[in-house]
Amino acid sequence: MELVKKAETLAAQGHPIIHLSIGEPDFTAPPEVVQALIKAAKRGAEVTAFVEVKARFDEALNLHWAQEMEEAGVRTVYSGPDLKVHAKLAVVSRREDDGHRSYAYLATGNFNERTSRIYCDHGLLTADPRHTEDLDQVFLLLTGQITEPECRHLLVAPVTLRPSITELIRREASTVRRGRPAGMVLKMNSLEDEKLIRELAEAGAAGVHTNLIVRGICCLKPGVDRVSENIQVTSIVGRFLEHARAYYFRNGGDEEILMGSADLMPRNLNGRVELLFPVEDPRLRDAIRDDLLLEQLQDNTRSWRLMPDGAYERLAPAEGEKRIDTMERRLAKRGSWHIEE
């Protein structure tokens, strides 16, 4: 939201170009993001907004505000009947004193003012050209100018995301077979894809210890002898809805983390435009690993553990054990969980 607002104020100076993919917005009232795009267009910015008309429950309102944007001069592109767009992203490009520069916002959550108050999500604001150049390709896809984006850095469904995730899981299995440190922590809303479940089980059988943080549906039964004994599944349930997707791979010590919009479900991998982005800055990587993923695995207050028989058991602090509530800790760090130069 702040990215678009900033672009709006810069319109008269550098004639910025704004591209924004609206996944499932809250259009029940004039949303701030729509108002900002309209103001930017009226002040001279070239604005493109991709609107997902199949967003849950809000189709008519989405169309209403899309029409408002069109009338204000925003180039509005609508989703087609056969492919849902679930990616959450924005790009602002403008001329600066040292030349052309682009800024990108990539996120796990929607441009939705209502759900942003109750969903736990994460976003990356970056000017890294590896991200912005790939996002230009994604927007060419969304606007129908190409049929397959040529992205070298980002993982995009339904093109590169499934084979890339498959390869990352297999790499951990290969790493542990070579006697090097391996492991995965995969956080998502749902795990349903049969092919990737088999890949996870095979990696576990090779000795890769895997922690899955799955808020909703999980079709993998953990802890089954000779099948998934090296896999643990946790669900965090509390005041806020866990909506973020984060995928950690130990990779022999050369750690990698991907974040984005995609769950490991057939519909996300095969039938939607989804996006996962690598977290490159080692300080951010460490913060996501320690303050999000590992902290949630230590939670003994909001956590439910999936058992081999398919039932869930709620965790609780043992006698004398310190109480760890990941949601309380996140609230305590609100506004300060960032990296400064």
Side-chain angles (χ1 to χ4, degrees):
M1 196 79 68
E2 293 300 321
L3 180 68
V4 179
K5 288 182 178 179
K6 183 176 181 181
E8 166 197 323
T9 64
L10 294 169
Q13 303 172 23
H15 186 66
I17 299 173
I18 305 171
H19 297 308
L20 183 138
S21 173
I22 299 176
E24 296 178 12
D26 176 14
F27 282 2
T28 54
E32 290 186 30
V33 66
V34 170
Q35 295 180 65
L37 291 172
I38 288 174
K39 289 180 182 178
K42 288 182 176 179
R43 297 186 64 176
E46 179 185 328
V47 181
T48 300
F50 183 92
V51 178
E52 175 52 68
V53 296
K54 297 187 291 296
R56 191 175 301 173
F57 307 127
D58 290 329
E59 290 87 350
L61 288 166
N62 286 7
L63 291 171
H64 168 75
W65 290 111
Q67 184 177 358
E68 292 285 322
M69 288 190 290
E70 283 186 352
E71 293 174 355
V74 175
R75 181 191 178 198
T76 307
V77 182
Y78 300 90
S79 59
D82 301 322
L83 192 65
K84 181 179 174 68
V85 177
H86 193 244
K88 300 89 171 57
L89 47 101
V91 181
V92 175
S93 302
R94 68 189 185 101
R95 293 189 299 271
E96 298 184 349
D97 292 341
D98 57 350
H100 179 273
R101 191 173 181 85
S102 293
Y103 302 86
Y105 175 71
L106 307 97
T108 67
N110 305 317
F111 293 91
N112 187 318
E113 298 154 32
R114 179 176 54 193
T115 59
S116 66
R117 298 176 182 273
I118 57 174
Y119 284 21
C120 295
D121 274 305
H122 302 275
L124 175 69
L125 181 63
T126 179
D128 188 330
R130 293 174 297 181
H131 288 88
T132 58
E133 289 172 7
D134 276 3
L135 283 182
D136 287 340
Q137 286 287 307
V138 175
F139 275 102
L140 288 175
L141 170 68
L142 297 182
T143 54
Q145 298 177 64
I146 60 175
T147 57
E148 189 169 309
E150 296 181 5
C151 295
R152 290 178 285 184
H153 206 56
L154 306 178
L155 307 185
V156 182
V159 184
T160 60
L161 202 154
R162 175 187 288 279
S164 297
I165 288 291
T166 300
E167 180 56 34
L168 289 170
I169 295 171
R170 290 177 179 176
R171 186 185 64 185
E172 292 302 308
S174 175
T175 299
V176 80
R177 290 189 187 104
R178 298 197 307 271
R180 302 185 62 204
M184 295 180 282
V185 182
L186 310 181
K187 174 180 170 61
M188 67 202 80
N189 287 238
S190 299
L191 173 60
E192 296 182 23
D193 189 81
E194 182 178 347
K195 292 180 180 179
L196 290 183
I197 287 173
R198 290 184 180 277
E199 294 288 347
L200 290 170
E202 290 177 11
V208 178
H209 289 276
T210 301
N211 281 285
L212 303 175
I213 305 173
V214 185
R215 172 180 58 83
I217 297 171
C218 181
C219 296
L220 184 154
K221 286 186 178 181
V224 178
D225 289 344
R226 293 177 293 180
V227 177
S228 57
E229 56 190 352
N230 285 321
I231 301 176
Q232 177 178 281
V233 178
T234 303
S235 178
I236 307 288
V237 181
R239 173 180 173 182
F240 302 105
L241 185 139
E242 290 291 336
H243 193 248
R245 293 89 170 174
Y247 301 92
Y248 165 88
F249 302 91
R250 192 172 182 189
N251 188 30
D254 187 13
E255 300 170 314
E256 289 190 28
I257 290 180
L258 298 163
M259 302 189 78
S261 62
D263 295 312
L264 301 188
M265 305 170 67
R267 72 182 189 189
N268 298 79
L269 300 168
N270 303 334
R272 293 183 173 186
V273 177
E274 301 273 12
L275 190 143
L276 292 181
F277 56 90
V279 180
E280 301 286 2
D281 190 308
R283 299 166 299 173
L284 290 177
R285 246 193 340 258
D286 291 349
I288 293 165
R289 180 196 63 206
D290 297 339
D291 297 340
L292 174 64
L293 298 175
L294 297 186
E295 184 174 281
Q296 290 203 338
L297 292 175
Q298 296 168 358
D299 184 286
N300 57 18
T301 305
R302 306 290 181 185
S303 293
W304 294 74
R305 188 66 43 79
L306 181 59
M307 309 308 292
D309 63 359
Y312 281 87
E313 290 186 2
R314 185 168 186 175
L315 302 186
E319 185 176 351
E321 184 181 13
K322 182 179 179 181
R323 179 177 178 272
I324 300 175
D325 186 329
T326 184
M327 291 192 180
E328 283 186 1
R329 290 189 175 189
R330 195 173 306 178
L331 280 172
K333 289 185 280 191
R334 182 174 56 185
S336 62
W337 194 65
H338 65 281
I339 305 297
E340 293 183 350
E341 293 291 345

